[in-house]
Amino acid sequence: MSTTSPPAVGGARTRTSPAPAASRSPVGAAGAWLVKNPLVVLLVVMVAGVQLATGSQLAWGNLRGVLLDAAVIAIVAAPVGMLIISGYIDLSVGSTLALGGVVAGKVVQSGANPAVAVLAAVAAGAAIGVVNAVLTTVFGLSSFIVTLGMLTAVRGVAQLVTPLPLSNFGDAFGFLGIGNVAGVPVAVLVAVAVLVVAAVFLTRTPAGRHVYAIGVNREAAFLSGVDVRRIPFLLFVAAGATAGLAGAITVARLNSAPASQLGLGFELSVLTAVLLGGIALTGGEGSMFGVLVGVLFMGLLRNGLTLLGVPTFWQNVASGVALVAAVGIAAATQLARHRLQARDARRLDDATTAG
Amino acid sequence: MTVSIRGLTKRYGATLALDDVDLDLAAGEVHALLGHNGAGKSTVIKCLGGGTSPTAGTLTVHGTEHRALDPRSSIAAGIAVIYQHLSLIDRLTVTENLFLGQESTTAGVFVRRAEQRARALELLDRVGLTVSPDTPVGELTIGQRQLVEIAKALGRDARLLVLDEPSAALSPVEARRLAGLVGQLKDDGIAILYVTHLLNEVLELADRTTVMRDGRVVWSSPMAGVTKQDLVTAVSGRASAGAAAPAPVTAGADPVLDVRDLRAPGLPGVSLQVRPGEVVGLYGLVGSGRSRLLETLFGRRRATGGTVHVDGVPVRVATPDDALRAGLALVPGDRLQQGLFGSLSSAENTVMRVMSLLARTGWRRRGAERQVFASAAGAFGLRPADPSVAVARLSGGNQQKVLIARWVNDRAGTRVLLLDDPTQGVDVGARAEIYQVVRAVAAEHGIGVLFASNDPDEVVALAHRCLVMRRGEVVDELDMGATTEQTLLDLIHRDLEHTP
């Protein structure tokens, strides 16, 4: 666990509804933090349980595979999470991943430098992002409907680009998928970088805070002079670009690019991880730390079930139940939080209405 | 007694909306409920309609005592509330709306259309509405829809009819027809609670009147022998909240805001000036165009003509961002919908705009942000002054201070502060504090303040000068030196009587 949780991301954690009153004791503050992040507790309990039962989940060989899978999801979940915080959604990332993958594959097979192939994948994804962005932020169409349509349309485009599956791209390109730097898979390093950049952006720049402002109250943001179109526009482009990048990574790892199979259901994995991580579908709430926890939880849950010998079908059942349960737990802790806040508010009243 | 309310009390967080209210509503009687915005009238209505549960007190309906009502039990008890925002479904026909949720059916499945239609015709006839029952409600005028709502209430055998400012959106002809209907329903033995702020309606229709102010009943009497002057006195009441001699304005200074012939839909052409440090009130009833004028100045609505100068510099405003760059800032009337980021902290709400001005090479300077917040919180007496509290948890008055601090702080550079209904939903103690803050903003920063209000007390307490608005035009200008709330009330009601 300690190797999987980069301290930089944890440190730059977003605080959307900060713990009240500095006067609270450290124990109380820790309690309040856990109430806000119930999934962290579940994650620790789950990993400890699986580790005790099998003794193998925390072995590096196993963990490496889990992290590789999680990394591809995390790279896309970061911008998609930010889009949801700002009150939009992107369902098209699964097909955009496929398009990025086949574009990268085609460019590599034409004999170009692998770096060019990666850039081409990112550019293809960004182009899809621009289409989503224009339709939603400029023309004001529902992002749910636009990106649902794009999910189907872009899959078709990917299949048109490469009607026949491509494969065998060579070791240089394969490095992106399976290579290590300082013992850590390249994709994991990319994911860490994306999460850190996203977390720093969200917490340390005015534009990052505007993401929350737009998600909490778009009208108030507009009346505060916030550019309520530009920020979601750029986030759509970022979501497309990272999906393209994730496509290149996936193809490099598989060493093949089947246009009709790449990234099938990927958008739902991303959405599940983001929602598990406590980003509210209604916008305005959540953090990159939450996304990290959500992605790890999904990966480690599935891996734990495999290690425990649970059949695949049951793993699907468990993943679905986990999402619903996490939402239920989030609702319950939300209720607890509101009770705490109401109590605080009454204390504030007594202190203020006297004057 | 059809309905009798005893000791009704309602708290919203830090705000006491109703404080020990007693009210008796008798069959065959029109009971008028008068009071300014925020007096608690709408909270009484909500308690009756089941929209909210009282904190304390009882509602006795036909001898059955309730501690609280929900919408279902309210209807079952024979209470029908006609809200200002009507609750009809536009795409359904008149008949379908009349029987929505109470369809008469065969075998519980099939609607008996012919029977419903016949009954609909009866109900429409009773309220004097001559449209076909098959018309979609969306095609009716506001006045006709209101009659459909009343017909719906009659169809449910309502014994108490609550009308919330029913004439506000009506044409004079429709208003006359409504007045006739109210008299007829009264004769049929229905109890009517008529909520309004128009004194002439009260004099004409009411058998008994109760005046509310700051969540309390301050005056209640049968109408026999009561004059308009008595009502004006009751409504304006005691010395206004936080009244203090406004600071004098630097005479002869060049105007900080100079508006000439500003035109927009509903604004045929407004000219006005505000000098530095001057507080100007825009006084008018709902629909007089005061909010529209502020929103047009701020770029929320597009102006079609005219000029605006800030500090002598011509400005073109197409969006709120343009207005803010020019030094024009608006604190909107609907704080929750248009102003606050509820789940974000007070500090973030305060610095959301100036964050970018404070930032260096794109990075937030959190130390500087904290300083801006701390100094604004100190200057305005924000409570709690804790920067991390979610702003939704503050009382209305403190939320308003946060919104003012968003525009008036060490970095904002605001020259003209526009305030729409500045004490909406702010309780009486905090109201005086808001006035203090606004006066300080004008006096200490030399900012020109233009605020809209329909509360004459507020205009007297706050303004140096008052512009009276009616139908999108400034029809009168008063220097507030010698003006009292009675003058204003007389003025606005005289205006109304002259309206055809």
Side-chain angles (χ1 to χ4, degrees):
Chain A
M1 184 54 211
S2 60
T3 49
T4 69
S5 170
V9 179
R13 186 172 48 87
T14 317
R15 309 211 325 171
T16 49
S17 46
S23 59
R24 193 172 268 177
S25 71
V27 177
W33 187 83
L34 288 176
V35 166
K36 270 190 299 174
N37 300 279
L39 201 66
V40 175
V41 183
L42 279 181
L43 182 66
V44 171
V45 170
M46 179 182 78
V47 170
V50 174
Q51 179 66 16
L52 284 177
T54 66
S56 56
Q57 186 161 44
L58 294 178
W60 177 238
N62 178 61
L63 216 47
R64 188 175 185 279
V66 173
L67 289 181
L68 264 176
D69 287 338
V72 175
I73 295 175
I75 288 168
V76 182
V80 169
M82 291 194 280
L83 263 180
I84 295 177
I85 292 174
S86 73
Y88 292 81
I89 198 167
D90 188 347
L91 297 170
S92 68
V93 289
S95 296
T96 309
L97 181 148
L99 180 65
V102 298
V103 165
K106 242 193 144 96
V107 173
V108 168
Q109 280 205 330
S110 75
N113 186 313
V116 175
V118 174
L119 285 180
V122 170
I128 301 303
V130 168
V131 174
N132 285 333
V134 168
L135 291 175
T136 53
T137 64
V138 179
F139 293 109
L141 303 178
S142 147
S143 62
F144 187 96
I145 293 168
V146 165
T147 60
L148 190 62
M150 289 293 279
L151 178 66
T152 309
V154 174
R155 173 72 57 188
V157 172
Q159 288 163 328
L160 286 170
V161 170
T162 58
L164 299 170
L166 307 169
S167 58
N168 292 323
F169 305 117
D171 289 346
F173 185 58
F175 181 76
L176 179 65
I178 52 175
N180 290 330
V181 171
V184 184
V186 175
V188 173
L189 293 174
V190 172
V192 170
V194 168
L195 283 171
V196 170
V197 168
V200 170
F201 166 75
L202 275 184
T203 53
R204 300 295 164 111
T205 69
R209 302 319 293 170
H210 291 167
V211 171
Y212 288 91
I214 295 168
V216 173
N217 191 340
R218 195 169 186 275
E219 173 80 355
F222 175 64
L223 293 177
S224 299
V226 170
D227 194 330
V228 294
R229 289 180 176 178
R230 191 177 58 194
I231 291 167
F233 190 105
L234 294 176
L235 290 176
F236 270 114
V237 177
T242 55
L245 176 63
I249 292 173
T250 307
V251 166
R253 194 173 162 203
L254 296 173
N255 200 22
S256 78
S260 48
Q261 260 105 59
L262 273 179
L264 267 187
F266 177 73
E267 62 285 335
L268 295 182
S269 300
V270 167
L271 206 57
T272 308
V274 163
L275 298 181
L276 269 173
I279 288 182
L281 207 47
T282 45
E285 209 177 306
S287 69
M288 285 302 113
F289 177 72
V291 170
L292 174 71
V293 175
V295 169
L296 289 178
F297 186 86
M298 279 239 304
L300 288 166
L301 172 67
R302 195 162 268 277
N303 175 251
L305 294 171
T306 309
L307 293 176
L308 292 169
V310 176
T312 315
F313 297 159
W314 283 107
Q315 290 182 23
N316 289 338
V317 173
S319 298
V321 169
L323 175 65
V324 177
V327 172
I329 289 167
T333 53
Q334 185 96 354
L335 200 68
R337 220 158 85 198
H338 285 165
R339 292 237 170 93
L340 280 175
Q341 287 182 354
R343 211 179 55 194
D344 283 352
R346 274 198 298 278
R347 265 210 317 264
L348 289 174
D349 281 3
D350 298 341
T352 57
T353 48
Chain B
M1 202 59 65
T2 304
V3 174
S4 116
I5 295 173
R6 287 287 171 273
L8 199 68
T9 300
K10 175 71 189 176
R11 274 182 89 89
Y12 288 106
T15 311
L16 196 58
L18 288 182
D19 187 2
D20 199 17
V21 167
D22 294 348
L23 205 59
D24 288 312
L25 308 168
E29 192 176 273
V30 176
H31 193 138
L33 188 58
L34 267 172
H36 291 313
N37 277 355
K41 294 172 302 187
S42 44
T43 312
V44 170
I45 299 173
K46 273 196 225 158
C47 290
L48 279 170
T52 189
S53 299
T55 312
T58 57
L59 302 142
T60 306
V61 187
H62 307 301
T64 314
E65 190 176 295
H66 300 268
R67 297 189 57 81
L69 292 166
D70 57 44
R72 201 172 266 274
S73 59
S74 168
I75 291 171
I79 298 173
V81 181
I82 315 293
Y83 292 99
Q84 269 176 288
H85 299 285
L86 302 176
S87 57
L88 299 173
I89 297 172
D90 285 357
R91 296 173 65 171
L92 298 185
T93 66
V94 170
T95 307
E96 285 167 334
N97 267 290
L98 286 175
F99 294 97
L100 194 64
Q102 321 241 312
E103 288 85 357
S104 84
T105 53
T106 307
V109 180
F110 302 104
V111 174
R112 293 186 204 163
R113 287 173 173 274
E115 184 187 315
Q116 282 197 358
R117 195 169 185 282
R119 179 103 175 90
L121 280 170
E122 260 172 55
L123 290 170
L124 292 180
D125 182 52
R126 204 168 153 203
V127 298
L129 188 58
T130 51
V131 299
S132 154
D134 307 322
T135 320
V137 160
E139 294 174 12
L140 303 181
T141 67
I142 299 288
Q144 291 172 327
R145 287 182 213 195
Q146 200 174 49
L147 293 176
V148 172
E149 279 255 35
I150 294 174
K152 184 173 166 182
L154 297 177
R156 293 177 167 183
D157 293 324
R159 316 263 293 272
L160 168 65
L161 190 62
V162 181
L163 298 167
D164 184 10
E165 305 205 7
S167 63
L170 298 188
S171 70
V173 177
E174 287 176 325
R176 295 251 34 100
R177 193 161 65 179
L178 177 70
L181 177 60
V182 167
Q184 178 196 323
L185 294 176
K186 175 176 103 170
D187 294 340
D188 290 348
I190 292 175
I192 293 166
L193 179 63
Y194 196 99
V195 181
T196 182
H197 56 250
L198 299 182
L199 304 184
N200 292 331
E201 280 187 352
V202 175
L203 288 169
E204 183 188 338
L205 294 174
D207 301 303
R208 170 180 288 275
T209 297
T210 294
V211 176
M212 290 187 70
R213 155 180 289 278
D214 305 328
R216 283 184 292 270
V217 170
V218 292
W219 189 87
S220 189
S221 158
M223 285 303 286
V226 171
T227 66
K228 186 166 173 185
Q229 202 50 50
D230 297 334
L231 290 178
V232 169
T233 311
V235 171
S236 60
R238 51 162 178 64
S240 35
V249 185
T250 340
D254 287 334
V256 63
L257 176 69
D258 189 353
V259 178
R260 289 190 191 275
D261 199 27
L262 186 71
R263 292 186 302 277
L267 295 176
V270 173
S271 298
L272 60 89
Q273 297 189 331
V274 181
R275 293 196 296 277
E278 189 182 28
V279 181
V280 176
L282 282 172
Y283 174 59
L285 295 176
V286 174
S288 62
R290 53 201 164 91
S291 302
R292 192 178 288 260
L293 172 59
L294 294 185
E295 290 180 351
T296 308
L297 283 171
F298 188 59
R300 183 163 187 261
R301 293 168 184 272
R302 196 165 287 257
T304 53
T307 59
V308 177
H309 287 73
V310 175
D311 276 333
V313 181
V315 297
R316 294 211 64 80
V317 171
T319 65
D321 188 47
D322 296 342
L324 291 165
R325 283 171 199 276
L328 282 163
L330 170 70
V331 175
D334 189 339
R335 222 171 15 245
L336 297 180
Q337 295 297 319
Q338 302 177 344
L340 296 172
F341 305 108
S343 58
L344 303 186
S345 70
S346 332
E348 280 209 284
N349 269 279
T350 304
V351 301
M352 194 54 84
R353 171 76 185 176
V354 291
M355 208 183 259
S356 317
L357 302 176
L358 293 169
R360 231 178 241 155
T361 61
W363 297 102
R364 287 169 70 194
R365 288 198 298 141
R366 299 216 262 193
E369 287 176 13
R370 271 194 293 274
Q371 236 162 29
V372 165
F373 173 76
S375 92
F380 296 163
L382 186 72
R383 280 184 314 230
D386 181 349
S388 65
V389 178
V391 78
R393 288 169 48 202
L394 300 185
S395 67
N398 283 296
Q399 290 176 341
Q400 197 71 343
K401 289 181 197 170
V402 166
L403 289 183
I404 294 174
R406 185 183 290 168
W407 304 137
V408 182
N409 56 48
D410 300 345
R411 285 305 299 267
T414 296
R415 295 299 298 139
V416 179
L417 185 64
L418 310 170
L419 296 157
D420 192 0
D421 212 347
T423 55
Q424 164 106 27
V426 171
D427 62 23
V428 69
R431 214 167 283 180
E433 282 186 51
I434 297 295
Y435 294 159
Q436 203 70 48
V437 165
V438 172
R439 274 188 223 112
V441 161
E444 289 163 25
H445 299 255
I447 287 173
V449 175
L450 184 61
F451 74 94
S453 179
N454 68 348
D455 179 351
D457 287 3
E458 185 157 288
V459 177
V460 171
L462 200 49
H464 297 124
R465 194 153 56 87
C466 169
L467 304 173
V468 180
M469 284 197 76
R470 182 150 54 88
R471 297 185 164 186
E473 289 181 279
V474 174
V475 294
D476 222 330
E477 177 171 345
L478 303 166
D479 192 17
M480 294 307 289
T483 310
T484 64
E485 55 261 41
Q486 295 223 357
T487 322
L488 288 175
L489 272 175
D490 286 344
L491 188 71
I492 205 105
H493 289 292
R494 198 177 60 228
D495 278 353
L496 282 176
E497 276 157 27
H498 290 171
T499 308

